[in-house]
Amino acid sequence: MRTIVWCEGCRRGSDAADPGLALDGLRLCAQCLRLLARRIEELPHMYEECGRALGGSVPSGVREHTSGGPLPGMTINATAVEVRTEILGTLSAWSGLVAEQREVRAPRRAVDQLAGFLLRHLRWLAAHPAAGDAAQEVARLARAARRAVAAEPVRRVQVGGCVEPDCPGRIVATLRDGGLDERMRIRCDADPDHSWTAAEWTLLRRALPDAAAEERWLTAQDISRLWDTPVGTVYRLASEHRWPRRSRGGRTYYSELAPHAHFTRHPRRT
Ligand SMILES: [Zn+2]
Ligand SMILES: [Zn+2]
């Protein structure tokens, strides 16, 4: 006869609803298990987003600390730094527990590796006496990460190399409150005279014959902000028009040429 086990995740959750029944052999209900998986899956993205909130585009798995002072115009967001440290620490701690008790090799200390590892051992973790703690901690972390990203005052996205002849600069778009900051325009980080509005940039970019050689990759979020279009629409367009894509660190990147071409034909703003 099966004894009734209440979900440890529900019992620790903030909502006062009655706890669900734990799945057979586990300590979490179906809903809490699903949420835990989704949040672990999202943490590497949130980690990256928090990195961008620090003022630069931080590709996954790259430098955690930079030496020297901040770049001009860069905004320090302490919360995002703390959340990043916490995401890495938390994923690391739970992976360490799994690796030790299951006697398997622990993954490299990188958020996407750690998250992938935990997802592979999720059912085992959900049966562990600490399952409720894991669910609670990951939920708290996901909330903190969302807050930190939402609170981000300014974000800079690297769009690509400067198009002016012989300029070694990189073109950076400044985003504010989730949208392109029109006052800041799109500028080159080497020469302040190299600057464009979003509309000019799109046209200019398209006119360049060697644009394909300078192909850059953007996330759906980047595209959404650069062209002031909902993320859902970006995903839909990408899928409908088969935008070239690649995957890195659990994230999907689209060739910037596709949205440039699309939004030139269908401008969002006049
Ligand atoms: Zn539950
Ligand atoms: Zn330049």
Side-chain angles (χ1 to χ4, degrees):
M1 195 184 84
R2 202 196 148 197
T3 45
I4 285 180
V5 180
W6 298 107
C7 170
E8 298 276 339
C10 290
R11 282 163 59 150
R12 279 158 221 241
S14 47
D15 43 23
D18 290 338
L21 270 183
L23 291 169
D24 204 2
L26 304 186
R27 289 170 192 259
L28 298 180
C29 68
Q31 161 87 341
C32 286
L33 184 65
R34 226 178 5 252
L35 280 173
L36 178 60
R38 203 176 70 202
R39 285 168 180 152
I40 291 175
E41 221 172 78
E42 277 172 4
L43 282 178
H45 305 271
M46 303 309 277
Y47 182 83
E48 263 192 80
E49 291 287 324
C50 285
R52 288 211 192 79
L54 298 176
S57 177
V58 181
S60 65
V62 184
R63 78 203 155 83
E64 181 59 15
H65 299 286
T66 48
S67 52
L71 295 165
M74 177 168 152
T75 308
I76 294 295
N77 182 339
T79 314
V81 177
E82 285 159 11
V83 168
R84 270 168 77 87
T85 307
E86 236 189 300
I87 289 176
L88 188 60
T90 303
L91 289 177
S92 213
W94 288 107
S95 296
L97 175 128
V98 171
E100 193 188 302
Q101 300 196 357
R102 300 205 81 180
E103 297 182 349
V104 293
R105 219 180 134 96
R108 204 161 50 79
R109 198 177 147 88
V111 282
D112 51 345
Q113 305 272 320
L114 294 164
F117 176 83
L118 284 177
L119 287 172
R120 285 195 296 282
H121 295 277
L122 192 69
R123 281 193 85 85
W124 182 88
L125 189 61
H128 193 275
D133 291 328
Q136 189 185 27
E137 219 171 287
V138 167
R140 192 179 49 75
L141 203 52
R143 264 198 311 277
R146 269 195 299 277
R147 265 202 308 273
V149 170
E152 105 200 43
V154 168
R155 214 186 111 195
R156 285 149 58 93
V157 174
Q158 288 203 349
V159 182
C162 184
V163 293
E164 293 293 336
D166 302 324
C167 180
R170 312 257 322 152
I171 289 174
V172 176
T174 303
L175 309 167
R176 205 181 283 275
D177 295 328
L180 187 68
D181 185 336
E182 284 294 340
R183 284 164 308 159
M184 299 296 291
R185 299 163 67 94
I186 294 173
R187 354 180 139 256
C188 165
D189 61 4
D191 186 335
D193 287 340
H194 300 167
S195 83
W196 302 267
T197 63
E200 282 170 345
W201 170 241
T202 295
L203 293 170
L204 175 69
R205 196 69 183 72
R206 198 165 179 238
L208 285 174
D210 61 343
E214 278 291 314
E215 207 165 3
R216 297 279 178 247
W217 299 86
L218 301 171
T219 64
Q221 284 75 20
D222 294 336
I223 295 166
S224 145
R225 286 161 178 168
L226 279 169
W227 281 278
D228 194 20
T229 300
V231 180
T233 306
V234 175
Y235 282 121
R236 184 177 55 73
L237 289 170
S239 141
E240 261 173 32
H241 302 290
R242 295 169 194 270
W243 287 358
R245 51 190 271 174
R246 60 163 62 155
S247 219
R248 209 184 63 204
R251 245 186 149 183
T252 302
Y253 293 82
Y254 299 97
S255 164
E256 64 153 338
L257 298 178
H260 270 299
H262 178 85
F263 291 110
T264 303
R265 286 194 305 270
H266 313 276
R268 293 270 310 160
R269 286 171 169 172
T270 49

